[in-house]
Amino acid sequence: MKKILIPTDFTTGSLQLVEYVILNYPDSCIDIILLAGYKLPDNRITLMHFNGREQINKQLNDDFISAKKSLVHQHKKNINSISIQLFTGVNSYAFKNFLIKLNANDAIVPKEKSLCYHGKRWFDPTKYLRKNVTNIVEVPYKVSTELPQQKFSLINIFN
């Protein structure tokens, strides 16, 4: 069974990379791990109450969940599982340890930097994937919808 890492920004567009995996590995049973990066809080009390699964659930929307379920349903003979993992490290050494835990050697990443994260704590783990994963396939990826223009306000500065 093959485990493949794919960075995600929790949009339906990022699931294009999952479709690429399915089309290019038609005879394999695949575990797909969607990967997102998150900077841990600086405050000790906030860190004690940190829950990675809760942060992931805050990012999920109905469109993403239904598109993911649809992919699994359409390609159930090829997809063993699709899971979402949160990388909270700050350097390549932490990412190497994270990879050992996941036991994955393959990754599919977008060619251009096109994943867009909302919130100041979220980051794109693609650079860590490129540095540390053995087998990488770069895929052309285009955002199908225009991203909304962010408005500046004092509230956004503190979030």
Side-chain angles (χ1 to χ4, degrees):
M1 187 169 314
K2 199 173 218 33
K3 284 188 180 180
I4 299 178
L5 297 168
I6 300 174
T8 186
D9 58 0
F10 304 105
T11 60
T12 55
S14 66
L15 292 176
Q16 292 173 21
L17 299 172
V18 175
E19 289 181 26
Y20 177 85
V21 170
I22 294 166
L23 295 173
N24 287 296
Y25 297 100
D27 299 329
S28 301
C29 190
I30 303 168
D31 283 332
I32 296 172
I33 301 170
L34 299 175
L35 185 63
Y38 189 81
K39 294 177 189 168
L40 287 173
D42 299 331
N43 185 330
R44 223 184 305 168
I45 294 171
T46 310
L47 186 59
M48 285 176 24
H49 297 290
F50 175 76
N51 183 345
R53 187 61 42 199
E54 182 180 313
Q55 294 302 320
I56 289 171
N57 289 337
K58 285 180 185 178
Q59 294 297 311
L60 298 178
N61 60 36
D62 293 335
D63 293 336
F64 181 82
I65 293 169
S66 63
K68 187 177 106 172
K69 283 181 183 177
S70 174
L71 276 172
V72 171
H73 182 68
Q74 288 174 358
H75 305 284
K76 56 186 161 194
K77 70 175 187 173
N78 295 26
I79 298 175
N80 185 41
S81 68
I82 296 180
S83 63
I84 302 172
Q85 293 290 327
L86 196 62
F87 172 64
T88 56
V90 293
N91 57 30
S92 289
Y93 297 113
F95 194 77
K96 285 179 185 178
N97 288 333
F98 183 70
L99 284 178
I100 291 169
K101 182 183 107 179
L102 294 178
N103 193 23
N105 294 324
D106 299 309
I108 305 293
V109 297
K111 242 180 208 181
E112 302 88 27
K113 182 179 167 113
S114 52
L115 297 177
C116 179
Y117 291 87
H118 300 288
K120 67 178 183 177
R121 295 210 168 269
W122 292 96
F123 66 90
D124 188 358
T126 304
K127 69 177 182 178
Y128 293 117
L129 288 168
R130 283 194 175 112
K131 282 184 183 178
N132 298 300
V133 176
T134 310
N135 304 320
I136 293 204
V137 177
E138 291 187 348
V139 177
Y141 165 78
K142 299 287 181 192
V143 178
S144 59
T145 58
E146 290 279 326
L147 296 172
Q149 190 77 17
Q150 297 241 342
K151 301 209 183 231
F152 295 101
S153 71
L154 289 176
I155 293 173
N156 287 343
I157 291 173
F158 298 111
N159 285 337

